Amino acid sequence: MCPSYNGPLSAATLQIARDELRETDSSREQALQQIKDWVRMNPRIISCRQDDSFFLRFLRFKKFSIPMAQEALERYLLLRQTISQAFHNLDCHLPRMEYLINNGYMFASPGRDKQGRRWLIARPGVFDPYKFINEDMCRIHGIIYETLMEDEENQVRGFVHFADGAGVSFPYLTLFTPKEAVRIVKNGERTLPMRHKEVHVINVPQSLKYVLDWGMTLISDKIKERVKIYTSIEEALKQVDSSMLPKEYGGTMPMAEMIELFKQELEAKRQTLIDNDKMEVCLDLFPENAKAGAVSALKAGCNQGQSNFHCGSFRKLEVD
């Protein structure tokens, strides 16, 4: 059996995990044991992290539905290899990554809001489509998301996104094909184990509004309801917690100071992210559409095409 979990979650966060994610001591122990056994016996998985925190990010993401957590984990491991530009070599010391980080393309505000959530500040206008390529955009997001997912409080409490579209122009549309965009959005929502609680957007260029409208059709109704678009920062400040924003957006701490603090977080997890490249799956055992990240390969439960490997069952029902 799995040893007793001695994780870092506070009592308040454990209560949220119980209320929102169906996580209890019993469900956690059973689920961890089942998913570890499944990984060990799965012929498609060659090498995978074995720490509880890594497995729990998928179990919490799927509210302890073991088959759905298995699908998300296996697909995550697969896409790490087949879409390596988004998941491999996630090194914040790479010069192109350092430039984007130092200039505040995306960073997490220090501390947490009243609901214990981390806020991600995104400024896509920093990304020069003539200087950088789509691989750079995938990699910087991978570095930031993977760093934050290492924190179990974030796995439960989730994230608030605040994006400033100022400076985004038509050339951005050439970075990804429509098919690539669809796959990024669908996999981002259904495979990347992050809880997106709120999304706030300002300064959407009028010329690109139709692109945003199209993007909204790709996300689930649940996420769509959490997206708020404002005509100005003044309008946004009537709705959002300004204490989580940089001084330049109505908060108190200068953006440069926030960025420097976040760089310390990135540095602390840098080696962990690099070591994640050791995880590996057997590509020959996956269908081509799954390797390509096709949306059609996403299923509600177990992956299709596993003729000789049984996907794990749901956890036992609680009796208490």
Side-chain angles (χ1 to χ4, degrees):
M1 293 292 293
C2 286
S4 297
Y5 171 76
N6 294 307
L9 296 183
S10 65
T13 303
L14 284 170
Q15 186 61 50
I16 292 173
R18 183 184 184 99
D19 294 342
E20 298 184 8
L21 308 179
R22 302 195 289 267
E23 177 176 349
T24 64
D25 289 343
S26 177
S27 68
R28 185 191 310 112
E29 182 176 342
Q30 290 179 30
L32 283 171
Q33 184 65 57
Q34 287 189 54
I35 205 163
K36 287 179 180 181
D37 289 344
W38 172 80
V39 166
R40 186 177 65 254
M41 296 185 295
N42 191 338
R44 303 216 266 191
I45 298 176
I46 296 173
S47 177
C48 180
R49 279 174 56 171
Q50 294 295 308
D51 55 290
D52 288 350
S53 177
F54 178 74
F55 292 126
L56 282 169
R57 69 173 69 171
F58 296 95
L59 289 164
R60 288 165 174 154
F61 178 52
K62 296 301 183 181
K63 297 187 178 181
F64 281 76
S65 163
I66 294 175
M68 294 179 72
Q70 289 170 338
E71 181 202 32
L73 170 57
E74 189 178 71
R75 187 170 175 88
Y76 167 89
L77 294 174
L78 172 64
L79 297 183
R80 282 191 59 85
Q81 282 177 237
T82 59
I83 310 179
S84 60
Q85 64 269 31
F87 293 107
H88 264 230
N89 198 20
L90 301 184
D91 187 353
C92 60
H93 288 183
L94 294 171
R96 297 166 80 87
M97 299 300 100
E98 286 187 328
Y99 177 90
L100 292 171
I101 293 165
N102 289 335
N103 285 275
Y105 169 77
M106 181 182 286
F107 57 93
S109 174
R112 300 179 182 277
D113 66 11
K114 294 177 182 178
Q115 287 76 44
R117 306 169 301 190
R118 294 298 302 272
W119 281 50
L120 275 168
I121 313 299
R123 301 168 64 240
V126 169
F127 193 97
D128 185 343
Y130 296 106
K131 182 184 296 185
F132 297 97
I133 60 176
N134 58 9
E135 181 174 318
D136 297 319
M137 184 175 285
C138 291
R139 181 164 283 116
I140 189 65
H141 281 261
I143 289 171
I144 292 168
Y145 294 160
E146 289 283 348
T147 295
L148 292 168
M149 285 189 293
E150 290 294 328
D151 187 326
E152 288 195 41
E153 287 281 332
N154 295 340
Q155 294 175 12
V156 175
R157 299 276 187 166
F159 300 91
V160 175
H161 302 265
F162 181 90
D164 178 5
V168 176
S169 57
F170 191 79
Y172 281 74
L173 301 184
T174 65
L175 289 169
F176 299 97
T177 67
K179 179 184 287 188
E180 288 172 335
V182 169
R183 289 180 175 179
I184 288 170
V185 172
K186 292 292 186 180
N187 282 292
E189 181 177 344
R190 296 179 60 179
T191 304
L192 198 65
M194 296 178 70
R195 303 190 72 202
H196 307 291
K197 307 301 287 186
E198 296 177 14
V199 181
H200 302 279
V201 184
I202 63 171
N203 296 327
V204 178
Q206 189 63 33
S207 60
L208 298 181
K209 188 177 183 302
Y210 75 94
V211 179
L212 180 62
D213 291 340
W214 175 71
M216 291 286 284
T217 67
L218 303 178
I219 60 179
S220 67
D221 289 340
K222 179 181 72 173
I223 300 297
K224 197 178 301 181
E225 291 172 357
R226 299 175 182 180
V227 177
K228 306 295 181 184
I229 300 173
Y230 307 95
T231 57
S232 66
I233 182 62
E234 291 76 19
E235 182 187 2
L237 289 174
K238 296 176 183 178
Q239 303 292 328
V240 305
D241 183 355
S242 61
S243 68
M244 300 304 297
L245 299 177
K247 185 176 182 179
E248 291 83 349
Y249 292 95
T252 56
M253 182 182 291
M255 188 186 309
E257 189 173 337
M258 285 190 173
I259 292 169
E260 287 304 312
L261 288 172
F262 187 55
K263 285 166 65 177
Q264 295 177 22
E265 291 188 55
L266 296 175
E267 188 65 33
K269 298 299 181 182
R270 175 175 176 261
Q271 192 58 52
T272 298
L273 266 59
I274 292 173
D275 288 343
N276 280 345
D277 288 354
K278 298 174 183 177
M279 294 191 288
E280 183 182 1
V281 297
C282 182
L283 294 178
D284 292 343
L285 297 181
F286 289 90
E288 290 303 316
N289 67 336
K291 288 188 280 188
V295 177
S296 60
L298 284 165
K299 303 299 179 184
C302 302
N303 283 314
Q304 302 300 303
Q306 297 188 66
S307 57
N308 296 313
F309 184 66
H310 178 65
C311 201
S313 61
F314 285 94
R315 64 180 176 84
K316 298 176 183 176
L317 294 176
E318 297 298 322
V319 294
D320 54 350

